[in-house]
Amino acid sequence: MDLSPTKKALLALKQMQSKLDALENAKHEPIAVVGMGCRFPGANNPEEFWQLLQEGKDAITSIPDERWHELNGFSAVDTSGRTCPAFPTLGGFVPYLREFDPSFFRIAPKEAVSIDPQQRLLLEVSWSALENAAIAADLVQGSQTGVFIGIAAVDYWHQLLSRNNAEIDAYLTTGNTHSLASGRISHFFDFIGPSISLDTACSSSLVAVHLALKSLRDRECNMALAGGVNRLISPKVSINFTQAKMLSPDGKCKTFDESANGFVRSEGCGIVVLKRLSDAIADRDQIRAILLGSATNQDGRTSSITTPSSLSQQAVIKQALVNSKVAASQVSYLETHGTGTSLGDAIELEALSQVFKNNEELILGAVKTNVGHLESAAGIVSLIKTVLALENHLIPANLHLKQPNSKIEWQKLPFKLPQKAIAWQSTTLPRIAGISSFGFSGTNAHLVVQEANREMGKWGNGEVLKDTASHIGRWGDGKQDSYLFTLSAKSSKALEQLAGSYVEYLQAHPDILIEDICHTVNLGRSHFNYRLATSVISPADLQTKLIQYLAQDLAQETTADLWQGKTNLNQGTKLALTFKPENQELQELITST
């Protein structure tokens, strides 16, 4: 039956409204954090980082002996005879500046020498982040995955350029141009989504996360790796910052304290793995937190090119809240930029007092008091800290806080500075946090993060994966099920190190479910040619067998119920293990996976 003109018009209006609703939902679609990797001062992974934060440790140390040999020629008196400010002797450092396994990343050793250690660290941490997400790298080859990296330092580039012309090789440019920081990750993993490196100074890595959110919502990519990196290879920038009186003479970021007198330089790298929330749920990923929205803007003209603007900071936070569909009153925690400079802290607090003046209470965090200022990686360390705090329902202490800045009327504002770790109280609404990152370039970024609800948080745990685990390695009479546990690496030494790391992990997490462990190692990891397999019934059983493996390897003995071998991946062999007749059932299970 033909519709009347009026009904046709109403139907068209409904269809148009449906399309508009779909566009609006896509514009604000939540983004899930499904994995994280990091190397920060005092922490080689997110778990160690949380331990550092929870215990209120200061990761700032003396400059390592192998760094900054150029200081031997540095004079405290300049050419005009004036005394220069004392050169900093403290900072936040990540070890293994020169150590790198080029073969793992299919890089020739000769080329690796000319590759910026920042690019090397990004490759390592990106791999760790995917493993943390239980996403096997070989299963996402050729995928529409985006890479967004904040990077600013050019220390290594300058070192290589200072050599004689005859020493410049064919890898200088590709090894140090910042576009390759993201491009090398995309190339190694065979990602074909957007690949962007950016430098907005201290806000670089949070701006990178902002771009990743937009790219995911615009369907340019279906997964994204976002973060930043910073390495302190040369002392020259520190000399410059010292002359500009930006650095704390005592090597402490005393954020919001009366004695705040500058920041301390640090290095590190952080990467988060992001998906649209709907995709993460469909893929049964472990959802660690939800990114609701973000915003960026610029300070414009201020009294000097590095002076922040309180009005711009207010504007970027307000816009991020609008983009997230969140009211300021819903935010209970804010991870501040908080450099510990008297001018910067005062301007930031002024902005916060305008945006959040009607909140009942807002707790202000400052991760720079623990690890220093990671500059182009400062935003990502703030995000990873906030995700960990949301997961653990605990807000770590701000260090070096003795007397809050007397210029601030704290009693009239809803701000609370945690001088010790405090519980993050729950309400009827999810916990929501804000994260600020401001670059001395004038580029500001703000991100709004919400905790994953308990049902979402279970996607990566045993409640959901028990049935899946039964298909990839569980057998028995139902009273005491056995599970298949497999490890692999690209060398026998790497396999030993991996087994040792699992022993340490099991010692620290005695209550973890064995089916969770086995599911992750069997399906959430790439498989290499040096392999180890065993049947286990509990975490304690697995720990015992891995300790036996490490011991027997040294003694060249054979351990029962534990199989190891090497396979040639080019021949299409799935496993190359030796089995006893009584292990026929296990052999069939392994070779069928």
Side-chain angles (χ1 to χ4, degrees):
M1 184 176 68
D2 292 337
L3 296 175
S4 68
T6 301
K7 289 183 177 180
K8 286 182 179 179
L10 287 173
L11 180 60
L13 284 172
K14 287 182 180 179
Q15 291 174 339
M16 182 63 71
Q17 186 61 51
S18 178
K19 290 180 180 180
L20 289 172
D21 290 343
L23 288 171
E24 182 67 15
N25 290 336
K27 182 180 177 182
H28 298 279
E29 184 169 4
I31 304 299
V33 178
V34 300
M36 302 191 300
C38 68
R39 302 266 188 87
F40 297 141
N44 290 314
N45 52 58
E47 283 204 331
E48 290 184 9
F49 183 46
W50 177 246
Q51 193 69 26
L52 181 147
L53 293 170
Q54 189 178 22
E55 295 176 359
K57 291 184 178 178
D58 185 347
I60 303 304
T61 63
S62 298
I63 298 171
D65 292 338
E66 67 273 14
R67 299 283 185 100
W68 297 2
H69 297 297
E70 299 168 62
L71 280 181
N72 294 332
F74 179 71
S75 173
V77 178
D78 65 20
T79 54
S80 65
R82 295 175 300 182
T83 300
C84 300
F87 188 83
T89 58
L90 300 170
F93 295 91
V94 171
Y96 311 120
L97 175 66
R98 295 173 178 82
E99 288 80 359
F100 181 65
D101 183 359
S103 63
F104 184 90
F105 295 102
R106 297 193 296 275
I107 296 172
K110 183 178 179 180
E111 180 180 3
V113 173
S114 289
I115 295 176
D116 187 340
Q118 294 180 122
Q119 290 189 25
R120 303 179 209 162
L121 190 57
L122 282 166
L123 286 171
E124 294 171 343
V125 176
S126 295
W127 183 275
S128 298
L130 285 172
E131 285 203 331
N132 182 263
I135 296 173
D138 53 340
L139 297 182
V140 288
Q141 288 181 4
S143 65
Q144 202 77 18
T145 297
V147 180
F148 303 85
I149 300 298
I151 181 171
V154 291
D155 293 7
Y156 200 66
W157 179 237
H158 285 173
Q159 277 193 2
L160 296 186
L161 287 175
S162 67
R163 299 178 299 174
N164 295 328
N165 290 345
E167 296 179 285
I168 295 176
D169 59 24
Y171 308 109
L172 176 69
T173 301
T174 55
N176 293 271
T177 303
H178 282 345
S179 60
L180 269 292
S182 57
R184 192 177 293 277
I185 295 171
S186 298
H187 176 265
F188 171 72
F189 289 103
D190 191 20
F191 294 151
I192 60 172
S195 189
I196 298 172
S197 302
L198 61 100
D199 175 9
T200 61
C202 320
S203 58
S204 297
S205 55
L206 206 64
V207 173
V209 174
H210 166 76
L211 293 182
L213 265 65
K214 293 178 71 67
S215 184
L216 285 163
R217 286 170 171 167
D218 290 343
R219 305 272 163 167
E220 292 179 332
C221 60
N222 297 318
M223 183 171 77
L225 271 62
V229 66
N230 190 46
R231 276 291 203 180
L232 308 181
I233 300 172
S234 167
K236 292 182 178 178
V237 174
S238 292
I239 293 172
N240 164 232
F241 284 176
T242 299
Q243 301 284 25
K245 298 182 179 180
M246 294 180 178
L247 302 185
S248 169
D250 54 6
K252 298 182 188 300
C253 285
K254 298 181 280 291
T255 307
F256 305 135
D257 192 76
E258 180 72 14
S259 62
N261 58 356
F263 65 89
V264 54
R265 299 191 72 208
S266 294
E267 62 181 12
C269 179
I271 295 287
V272 291
V273 182
L274 307 175
K275 287 185 179 182
R276 291 181 289 273
L277 179 59
S278 56
D279 290 342
I281 292 174
D283 295 341
R284 293 191 170 187
D285 291 313
Q286 182 176 4
I287 299 169
R288 308 194 64 164
I290 301 168
L291 309 184
L292 298 179
S294 58
T296 62
N297 73 1
Q298 233 284 338
D299 287 336
R301 183 179 295 171
T302 57
S303 60
S304 75
I305 195 167
T306 60
T307 300
S309 165
S310 177
L311 291 177
S312 289
Q313 290 180 13
Q314 292 176 46
V316 77
I317 295 171
K318 289 177 180 177
Q319 188 61 55
L321 292 169
V322 169
N323 294 346
S324 305
K325 295 187 174 181
V326 168
S329 59
Q330 294 176 260
V331 179
S332 55
Y333 173 75
L334 195 135
E335 181 60 35
T336 64
H337 183 59
T339 56
T341 60
S342 56
L343 176 62
D345 286 359
I347 290 174
E348 183 169 9
L349 286 169
E350 168 61 24
L352 297 180
S353 68
Q354 295 302 313
V355 179
F356 298 103
K357 59 186 175 184
N358 294 323
N359 283 40
E360 290 185 9
E361 181 177 85
L362 181 68
I363 302 172
L364 305 182
V367 73
K368 291 179 179 64
T369 64
N370 297 96
V371 295
H373 189 356
L374 273 71
E375 298 169 359
S376 51
I380 196 66
V381 69
S382 293
L383 173 56
I384 292 176
K385 172 192 172 179
T386 303
V387 172
L388 292 168
L390 285 166
E391 287 182 324
N392 291 279
H393 302 167
L394 185 74
I395 296 174
N398 294 345
L399 306 187
H400 317 308
L401 183 62
K402 297 179 180 178
Q403 175 61 50
N405 192 318
S406 60
K407 296 177 182 177
I408 306 301
E409 295 182 295
W410 297 97
Q411 68 280 3
K412 295 182 179 180
L413 296 170
F415 303 148
K416 181 176 181 179
L417 302 177
Q419 293 181 282
K420 62 180 180 179
I422 57 176
W424 194 337
Q425 300 296 335
S426 63
T427 65
T428 55
L429 297 174
R431 296 172 178 86
I432 294 179
I435 302 168
S436 291
S437 193
F438 309 134
F440 76 172
S441 63
T443 299
N444 307 307
H446 191 80
L447 177 68
V448 180
V449 189
Q450 177 183 298
E451 67 178 329
N453 68 43
R454 296 189 179 185
E455 291 307 311
M456 291 175 184
K458 286 181 181 177
W459 284 118
N461 296 327
E463 276 69 3
V464 174
L465 297 178
K466 281 180 182 176
D467 291 339
T468 309
S470 67
H471 295 295
I472 52 87
R474 183 177 72 178
W475 66 98
D477 57 11
K479 294 180 181 179
Q480 193 170 37
D481 292 330
S482 294
Y483 293 86
L484 170 65
F485 177 87
T486 63
L487 283 185
S488 68
K490 288 193 174 184
S491 69
S492 57
K493 182 178 179 181
L495 187 60
E496 291 175 18
Q497 292 174 338
L498 187 58
S501 68
Y502 269 92
V503 170
E504 293 177 3
Y505 182 84
L506 291 164
Q507 289 172 341
H509 301 84
D511 298 328
I512 194 168
L513 297 176
I514 190 62
E515 52 262 47
D516 286 358
I517 300 174
C518 293
H519 176 272
T520 299
V521 296
N522 294 337
L523 293 185
R525 298 287 184 265
S526 297
H527 297 290
F528 304 111
N529 52 345
Y530 287 85
R531 300 184 174 189
L532 170 71
T534 185
S535 60
V536 294
I537 60 174
S538 67
D541 181 34
L542 174 57
Q543 185 176 338
T544 298
K545 288 179 177 176
L546 290 177
I547 291 173
Q548 288 174 346
Y549 159 70
L550 294 171
Q552 66 89 25
D553 193 68
L554 296 174
Q556 295 297 312
E557 298 173 355
T558 301
T559 300
D561 299 328
L562 199 149
W563 303 271
Q564 58 179 306
K566 180 184 177 183
T567 184
N568 186 342
L569 297 179
N570 295 325
Q571 294 178 355
T573 306
K574 290 187 176 181
L575 285 174
L577 304 173
T578 303
F579 297 92
K580 298 177 183 179
E582 60 267 28
N583 299 124
Q584 184 64 30
E585 183 181 5
L586 178 62
Q587 180 180 10
E588 292 173 359
L589 177 64
I590 293 175
T591 55
S592 66
T593 57

